[in-house]
Amino acid sequence: MKKLFLIVLYKSKIRDSQSCKSIVKNKLQTFSENHFLIWDNSPDKINTASDCGIFFKTKNIDFHHTAQNISLAKIYNYAFDEYSNFDAIQIFDQDSEIQKDCYDDYLNEIIFKNQNIHVFLPKIFVNGRLYSPGKLKICRGHHFSDLPFGVNKHRFYTAIMSGTVVRPTFLKEHGIRFNEDLTLYCIDTDFFNKCRI
């Protein structure tokens, strides 16, 4: 199963990124069908393509640097356009940690077994509290106290993008794009609103 892992960095060296360290710790780079896109959105170029290859120890890696700190929506759209033939794309910010054992096998299994599911949301905890996914009521987000693992249906789901897994074919089929008029806030909320079709 071809999967792309997109990691967006800002003023962080690859070796200092919790997300990058977590990917290497979980040995995701050792699987030949996994590909990585490292996007350095820092004003100054503090990472290079060579740094990426050395850190991840794989040739399945692409690197971009945009000094103007472009909208995350533009980065996400680029990834889904350029890697539209992949089975799944997972988005990471720079400071996420994967805490699931055998994560590659787990991800392959849930994607394969749930062919009718197109967006997969991890449970993200901050200081021991479930932070994402959440539910959107009118204009404001609220936290769930807990969610069981597995398929959960809620028409007001929202989440942060880090950790989210999406099938590119779903976005292409329904013409879903990330809103490039938004720079940071509400990109994720706008995206999940579009996915409720």
Side-chain angles (χ1 to χ4, degrees), residues 83 176 188:
Y83 301 88
I176 296 173
D188 43 14

mmCIF file of all heavy atoms in Angstrom, residues 83 176 188:
data_model
loop_
_atom_site.group_PDB
_atom_site.id
_atom_site.type_symbol
_atom_site.label_atom_id
_atom_site.label_comp_id
_atom_site.label_asym_id
_atom_site.label_seq_id
_atom_site.Cartn_x
_atom_site.Cartn_y
_atom_site.Cartn_z
ATOM 1 N N TYR A 83 0.737 13.637 -5.366
ATOM 2 C CA TYR A 83 0.774 12.238 -4.929
ATOM 3 C C TYR A 83 -0.626 11.622 -4.969
ATOM 4 O O TYR A 83 -0.972 10.778 -4.145
ATOM 5 C CB TYR A 83 1.378 12.155 -3.520
ATOM 6 C CG TYR A 83 2.771 12.719 -3.437
ATOM 7 C CD1 TYR A 83 2.975 14.076 -3.180
ATOM 8 C CD2 TYR A 83 3.884 11.915 -3.648
ATOM 9 C CE1 TYR A 83 4.251 14.615 -3.126
ATOM 10 C CE2 TYR A 83 5.170 12.442 -3.580
ATOM 11 C CZ TYR A 83 5.344 13.791 -3.329
ATOM 12 O OH TYR A 83 6.613 14.329 -3.271
ATOM 13 N N ILE A 176 -12.770 18.076 -3.567
ATOM 14 C CA ILE A 176 -12.492 18.732 -2.281
ATOM 15 C C ILE A 176 -11.073 19.286 -2.287
ATOM 16 O O ILE A 176 -10.117 18.581 -2.606
ATOM 17 C CB ILE A 176 -12.684 17.745 -1.113
ATOM 18 C CG1 ILE A 176 -14.145 17.304 -1.043
ATOM 19 C CG2 ILE A 176 -12.240 18.373 0.208
ATOM 20 C CD1 ILE A 176 -14.406 16.210 -0.032
ATOM 21 N N ASP A 188 -8.489 23.323 8.998
ATOM 22 C CA ASP A 188 -8.981 21.988 9.314
ATOM 23 C C ASP A 188 -10.505 21.958 9.416
ATOM 24 O O ASP A 188 -11.158 21.061 8.868
ATOM 25 C CB ASP A 188 -8.334 21.444 10.604
ATOM 26 C CG ASP A 188 -8.256 22.469 11.723
ATOM 27 O OD1 ASP A 188 -8.915 23.516 11.631
ATOM 28 O OD2 ASP A 188 -7.536 22.204 12.699
#
